[in-house]
Amino acid sequence: MSSFVWRRLWSMVPTLVGITIVTFILIQLAPGDPVTIELEGGMRAGSVSARVVEDFRHAFFLDLPLLVNLHPMDVEQRVDRRVADLGHSRRRAEAITRLQGIGGAALPYLIPRIEGTDGDIHDGVMHALAGIAERIGMESELASASQAEVFWREYWDVYRLDYTPGRAHRLVRRLVRRDDPLARAELRRLDTYAYTPLIEALDQGLDAEQTTRIITMLRQVRRSGPTVNADDDESARADTVSAWQEWWRRERSRYEPLGRAGRITAVVTETQYAKWLGRVATLSFGVSQRDGRPIMAKLAEKLPVTILLSILSVLMAYGLAIPLGLRSALRRGAWSDRVTTLVLFFIYSLPVFWTATVLIQGVCGVSGPAIFPLGGLVSDGAEQWSWWRRGLDLAHHLVLPVVCLSYVSLAVLSRYQRGAMLEVLAQDYVRTARAKGLSRFRVIVHHALRNALLPVVTLLGLQLPYMISGAVIVERIFNIPGMGLETFEAIRSHDYNWIMAVVTLTGVLTMLGILASDIVYAWLDPRVRLDGLDEGEAT
Amino acid sequence: MTILHREWLRPPSWLRRFGQGLRRRREGGVALVTVALMALVAVGADFLAAERPILLERDGRLYLLANVFDYDELRDLDNGSICGEMREGDWALLPPVPYGPFQSRVGGWVQPLEPPDRDHLAGTDDRGRDVLARLIHGTRVSLSVGFVAVFLYAMLGVLLGGSAGYYGGGIDHAVNRCIEVMMAFPAFFFILTVQGLMGSTTVIQLVVVIGLTRWTDVARLVRAEVLRVRAMDYVLAARAVGLTEWRILTDHVLPNSLGPVWVTCTFGVAAAVLTESALSFLGFGTPPPTPSWGELLTQAYENPQAWWLTLFPGVVLFSTVTAFNVLGEVIRDMIDPRLPQVT
């Protein structure tokens, strides 16, 4: 048994890779050319702005090569490229702005360029350096061009050692320990060079005050970005921290050098696919473009609702399907069997969204009696009620959604149950049991039922994809704040981060569901685990 | 002395077996008629509901098929205005439903959300368009999405599943992995998100997305069947006779493996029609203003008092889906006569 489980787990690896590849292809399909999106968006609700598309391109690193990056860029190469651009009169202005934008992290590569360059490039470097001096609050030292050269040379003699990872880390540690104005001033001078240790510090289990201190420092350097307020609670602070980490994940290659080993691995890692793989592996899907909250936090809130709905629906489907199917099989050919089969067949063809619409109109008080609430999960003012009354209220709200989500499964499952039972009843061992003179009850329950339940129970894993799909429709119609409704809204407002996260996670979840049902099947039926993994070769 | 006629050895033709299947299950006939009617409506939608007359004699000029072709002189006119301006000697042959699927006259003589009456047998929608006309043209959209998508994925499935089963080895492995990966995504949810990412731009895009997502069932079936048939003695005999691999595959293996595909595809049309309308219901299916059953049901959801928007599209959708499902069962009985007692 364990060898089967291991083999099956191993076969999951290529599937997982496949899932990331398919989702990666989806990213490529996504918004395309901002201009067409703009045009098309104008005609639809929730149009896409150029900013959203830019965000998307940035978040998914769409400016990197797909699979292999022969020229990975780090801060050093960015500086080199911009310095080279300084020689071109047309690109000069932009190069200066970009160099100044890199800030303190550019100094280790920019200051040495004062020597050995002349003419336009030299002027440009000095120009950029002047901008950086302004950023780090040293503009007063630079009165004239000749003074500036001397100033930077001296500055670099004195402070060169500050622009090393060890020193920067030490400064940040000091700031974490206490609100040290000296450390703050020095970090201010390091400017963007301090990003790496500051962001890393956020990960080290700081308390509220320390987090606030680090984020204030980060905001001083970046001059914008999410902030924490004194009255923020734990989760709001966590949201801010993850927003910063998300920002850093996108931006770090602008400020960090790769190093020698990093340069080699970057051929693979600094690519769109590797970045996507990294996101999936660390479950860092970023923040929702709809409300700025981290995707994982939102999922943690929405997923339980959908899971509750699905579990109740699956339970209801099985709870009704098994007895119905068995009954039909035992009374095969009787009119009750025929009616059940026919009704289930029709039910199977009823579109869920139509049934749900009719139910809303019929029994939710729109144009009929208000037996059930119109939607949502809780009534207004339910917070003050006692727990059992809230439970009843929840159940009341869940009746119609669960009915809508379960009836198709019910029809399918009871058909299977009927078929399985009929097949088992025709087996020789059932005839033998009957011939031995066992009671009808004993034959049915002990000999037939156990074998007839097997194929139906193993269908459990396959209910998961259906439930996920159905949840979108049902949650949309009944306005239930779960994953399905959120996905619907995300698609409407082009929240690509949410869509990508959800499509990846549902893929992984479904795969795990199928895996679980395979393992259960193998556990229940020894024939499966003794055969090969591929069912086709076994037949 | 008995003479063996060749005819006796030949298996009954497909048509014959289908007829037998229909005779055994009466509801199959009803389903077949429904499907045929639906197909007729889809093909002849322009002759059943159109903005302009089929034939028109106006000012001494005869306009042929004005419902299909655009005539410059008639551009600003429709059935109503043409009949209103009739002069001596003019005549027109109007389609049974004298409204087009896009024709909307809010504030004019057609009101939005008008309940069914003599002018509009199925009422009007929230933009004053005739619901019956939109249903008729929606049939064309739904059925073509259903058929083309299923055709697409059947081709893909037979190609991939067939080569996996027949050649085995690396191809088999690769195809199996692809199937496993695609099956890991909940089909409808996946199609929905793809539509959401790309934006619902054309009907063709929807068809392609459905086709590229749902091929796995067919591929699995064909693969298993080909594996079964490949081991048959007659394939060995064919090889012994010296037929080429290609000939064996196309003449002996594939024809004997495709039976179950017909069943899956018939159920598949029902599923694709449902997928299309559910997507359109959510607003991510066919792009507006394409007439679609699902889109009408969205309006029903938004305007709960308009019962005709719920009833008519619902009935049409339900009967189409049921008809294809019944047909699928009949075909399954026909291919595997052992099964009928199960259903």
Side-chain angles (χ1 to χ4, degrees):
Chain A
M1 182 70 206
S2 70
S3 86
F4 173 84
V5 173
W6 276 118
R7 260 189 306 168
R8 194 65 188 74
L9 281 176
W10 258 117
S11 76
M12 230 175 66
V13 175
T15 314
L16 264 177
V17 175
I19 289 176
T20 60
I21 292 176
V22 170
T23 46
F24 180 64
I25 295 171
L26 286 190
I27 304 173
Q28 309 299 318
L29 289 178
D33 181 16
V35 180
T36 55
I37 291 277
E38 235 15 16
L39 287 174
E40 177 210 328
M43 298 187 298
R44 297 203 323 183
S47 64
V48 198
S49 66
R51 193 187 58 78
V52 170
V53 174
E54 197 47 50
D55 252 19
F56 170 79
R57 295 190 61 83
H58 213 77
F60 289 91
F61 297 95
L62 292 193
D63 35 11
L64 288 179
L66 288 178
L67 290 172
V68 180
N69 190 351
L70 291 179
H71 306 284
M73 297 282 279
D74 66 351
V75 60
E76 184 175 2
Q77 288 182 325
R78 270 170 225 275
V79 170
D80 283 356
R81 205 177 63 179
R82 295 299 176 192
V83 168
D85 278 357
L86 289 172
H88 300 271
S89 55
R90 251 186 304 142
R91 281 181 252 157
R92 190 183 153 85
E94 202 204 331
I96 290 177
T97 340
R98 292 295 170 129
L99 282 171
Q100 289 171 353
I102 297 176
L107 287 179
Y109 315 102
L110 205 52
I111 294 178
R113 301 300 287 268
I114 300 176
E115 317 281 341
T117 54
D118 47 14
D120 279 351
I121 296 186
H122 185 79
D123 284 355
V125 169
M126 292 317 294
H127 213 103
L129 280 171
I132 296 176
E134 203 173 320
R135 266 185 76 104
I136 63 182
M138 297 217 164
E139 66 274 29
S140 54
E141 320 264 339
L142 309 166
S144 73
S146 56
Q147 265 179 349
E149 276 194 51
V150 177
F151 165 78
W152 282 115
R153 216 166 284 145
E154 277 174 9
Y155 181 87
W156 203 236
D157 282 345
V158 178
Y159 293 115
R160 173 186 303 187
L161 287 178
D162 280 7
Y163 291 84
T164 49
R167 174 79 181 147
H169 270 102
R170 231 173 356 251
L171 283 172
V172 171
R173 269 205 299 280
R174 243 164 71 192
L175 186 68
V176 169
R177 261 201 305 277
R178 61 194 176 84
D179 192 11
D180 181 355
L182 213 66
R184 252 194 337 222
E186 289 200 42
L187 284 171
R188 186 89 176 70
R189 192 158 41 71
L190 287 184
D191 195 43
T192 52
Y193 194 84
Y195 277 148
T196 317
L198 281 170
I199 298 277
E200 277 171 14
L202 283 179
D203 228 6
Q204 288 156 359
L206 307 182
D207 63 23
E209 200 191 329
Q210 290 166 331
T211 313
T212 316
R213 220 179 290 148
I214 295 290
I215 286 181
T216 315
M217 191 69 233
L218 276 169
R219 273 180 54 81
Q220 267 181 24
V221 174
R222 190 179 152 196
R223 291 177 174 74
S224 64
T227 173
V228 277
N229 300 317
D231 50 345
D232 276 357
D233 60 356
E234 193 70 38
S235 72
R237 254 200 325 276
D239 285 4
T240 313
V241 167
S242 58
W244 274 100
Q245 283 165 339
E246 165 73 6
W247 169 80
W248 182 241
R249 205 179 50 72
R250 294 187 205 170
E251 301 284 338
R252 71 186 301 171
S253 75
R254 278 183 64 191
Y255 303 107
E256 268 190 349
L258 281 169
R260 205 169 296 156
R263 192 158 292 288
I264 295 164
T265 52
V267 173
V268 182
T269 56
E270 288 293 307
T271 57
Q272 283 182 41
Y273 180 64
K275 294 278 182 191
W276 173 237
L277 206 60
R279 285 187 83 167
V280 175
T282 57
L283 293 180
S284 49
F285 290 106
V287 297
S288 162
Q289 278 126 337
R290 220 152 69 80
D291 51 13
R293 291 185 51 208
I295 298 283
M296 291 315 281
K298 271 177 90 172
L299 262 175
E301 179 187 308
K302 307 280 183 187
L303 200 58
V305 177
T306 305
I307 289 178
L308 174 73
L309 197 61
S310 311
I311 289 182
L312 287 176
S313 305
V314 169
L315 282 181
M316 174 148 152
Y318 270 94
L320 288 175
I322 291 177
L324 269 178
L326 291 177
R327 208 182 104 106
S328 275
L330 292 175
R331 302 199 180 155
R332 179 175 156 205
W335 74 263
S336 72
D337 170 33
R338 276 195 237 156
V339 168
T340 318
T341 308
L342 194 70
V343 168
L344 287 178
F345 185 78
F346 281 134
I347 277 187
Y348 173 70
S349 302
L350 273 181
V352 173
F353 59 97
W354 185 77
T355 322
T357 311
V358 169
L359 283 176
I360 285 251
Q361 292 178 4
V363 294
C364 294
V366 175
S367 49
I371 302 169
F372 292 103
L374 199 50
L377 270 187
V378 284
S379 303
D380 289 339
E383 294 82 35
Q384 285 111 42
W385 295 353
S386 55
W387 64 267
W388 60 268
R389 203 172 153 202
R390 265 183 305 178
L392 276 182
D393 183 53
L394 183 67
H396 193 208
H397 280 86
L398 278 173
V399 172
L400 290 185
V402 167
V403 166
C404 287
L405 200 51
S406 60
Y407 73 78
V408 175
S409 293
L410 165 71
V412 174
L413 290 173
S414 74
R415 258 176 92 106
Y416 266 97
Q417 184 61 76
R418 181 173 178 276
M421 190 65 178
L422 281 179
E423 201 158 301
V424 170
L425 285 179
Q427 298 289 319
D428 286 340
Y429 60 81
V430 172
R431 197 174 305 146
T432 315
R434 222 176 256 162
K436 277 198 296 189
L438 294 181
S439 73
R440 183 177 153 81
F441 178 81
R442 214 180 146 76
V443 172
I444 289 171
V445 173
H446 280 252
H447 293 82
L449 186 58
R450 297 172 90 178
N451 288 303
L453 283 179
L454 196 67
V456 180
V457 171
T458 50
L459 284 176
L460 190 62
L462 298 179
Q463 300 301 309
L464 190 65
Y466 173 74
M467 290 295 155
I468 291 173
S469 296
V472 185
I473 297 174
V474 169
E475 286 178 11
R476 147 89 175 129
I477 295 178
F478 291 102
N479 200 24
I480 295 171
M483 198 192 72
L485 182 64
E486 188 62 31
T487 305
F488 173 79
E489 296 291 348
I491 293 177
R492 280 230 283 215
S493 52
H494 298 272
D495 186 349
Y496 297 115
N497 277 343
W498 174 271
I499 299 175
M500 291 314 300
V502 160
V503 91
T504 313
L505 288 181
T506 51
V508 175
L509 269 182
T510 314
M511 190 195 64
L512 291 177
I514 295 173
L515 176 84
S517 88
D518 275 4
I519 290 176
V520 170
Y521 200 18
W523 178 54
L524 292 173
D525 188 344
R527 282 170 299 180
V528 176
R529 69 182 106 118
L530 296 178
D531 285 331
L533 262 186
D534 290 323
E535 72 275 23
E537 273 147 14
T539 48
Chain B
M1 192 170 95
T2 335
I3 300 167
L4 268 178
H5 287 285
R6 276 182 74 94
E7 264 69 85
W8 295 359
L9 289 173
R10 195 180 290 162
S13 73
W14 282 87
L15 216 61
R16 193 99 174 260
R17 281 163 71 191
F18 190 58
Q20 282 170 353
L22 283 183
R23 227 166 296 141
R24 202 161 41 212
R25 306 198 41 167
R26 289 290 157 76
E27 69 270 28
V30 182
L32 194 65
V33 170
T34 313
V35 168
L37 271 179
M38 284 289 173
L40 268 181
V41 169
V43 172
D46 284 328
F47 291 86
L48 289 173
E51 212 166 328
R52 296 184 193 88
I54 300 170
L55 290 175
L56 171 66
E57 166 106 29
R58 189 180 149 93
D59 299 336
R61 199 188 144 185
L62 182 68
Y63 296 92
L64 274 177
L65 300 181
N67 56 338
V68 186
F69 302 115
D70 267 343
Y71 290 97
D72 281 341
E73 300 89 330
L74 301 179
R75 188 141 290 166
D76 303 325
L77 299 171
D78 55 37
N79 288 321
S81 51
I82 287 171
C83 294
E85 297 168 12
M86 284 273 187
R87 280 186 232 144
E88 202 51 50
D90 289 0
W91 59 272
L93 176 62
L94 298 182
V97 180
Y99 306 97
F102 307 112
Q103 192 179 2
S104 138
R105 293 213 153 180
V106 180
W109 48 279
V110 176
Q111 291 302 314
L113 292 179
E114 217 174 63
D117 56 17
R118 264 183 48 224
D119 284 339
H120 302 279
L121 292 177
T124 61
D125 72 359
D126 63 357
R127 293 193 193 157
R129 298 173 294 200
D130 186 71
V131 171
L132 191 53
R134 283 185 78 74
L135 276 178
I136 289 170
H137 285 261
T139 311
R140 174 179 283 183
V141 175
S142 287
L143 285 198
S144 36
V145 168
F147 277 111
V148 179
V150 168
F151 178 76
L152 198 71
Y153 76 62
M155 286 289 142
L156 204 60
V158 169
L159 195 74
L160 290 174
S163 40
Y166 193 72
Y167 295 110
I171 299 180
D172 190 25
H173 227 74
V175 171
N176 266 338
R177 289 290 92 79
C178 287
I179 292 176
E180 236 163 61
V181 169
M182 282 319 287
M183 286 202 6
F185 295 102
F188 178 77
F189 191 81
F190 187 74
I191 295 170
L192 175 78
T193 43
V194 175
Q195 285 286 105
L197 278 173
M198 295 169 70
S200 61
T201 46
T202 56
V203 180
I204 295 170
Q205 177 195 317
L206 176 63
V207 168
V208 172
V209 172
I210 297 179
L212 289 182
T213 320
R214 290 250 162 118
W215 55 271
T216 51
D217 287 344
V218 175
R220 266 156 41 113
L221 262 182
V222 172
R223 177 178 169 275
E225 281 293 297
V226 166
L227 274 177
R228 185 181 63 82
V229 172
R230 198 179 58 165
M232 292 277 175
D233 285 342
Y234 58 78
V235 174
L236 192 65
R239 195 163 288 144
V241 167
L243 293 188
T244 59
E245 286 292 304
W246 180 248
R247 194 75 202 280
I248 296 175
L249 186 63
T250 53
D251 280 14
H252 298 272
V253 176
L254 274 185
N256 289 303
S257 312
L258 292 186
V261 174
W262 289 102
V263 182
T264 314
C265 286
T266 319
F267 287 126
V269 174
V273 167
L274 266 184
T275 304
E276 185 274 322
S277 55
L279 282 172
S280 301
F281 176 80
L282 291 176
F284 308 118
T286 51
T290 321
S292 152
W293 299 340
E295 188 259 348
L296 282 170
L297 285 167
T298 315
Q299 295 186 21
Y301 175 71
E302 281 158 5
N303 306 288
Q305 76 286 358
W307 54 268
W308 57 96
L309 285 176
T310 319
L311 181 68
F312 299 118
V315 167
V316 172
L317 183 56
F318 172 68
S319 28
T320 310
V321 172
T322 313
F324 277 104
N325 281 338
V326 171
L327 221 55
E329 304 240 308
V330 171
I331 297 176
R332 180 162 63 192
D333 286 3
M334 174 186 110
I335 285 167
D336 187 357
R338 200 175 53 86
L339 281 172
Q341 55 270 46
V342 172
T343 51

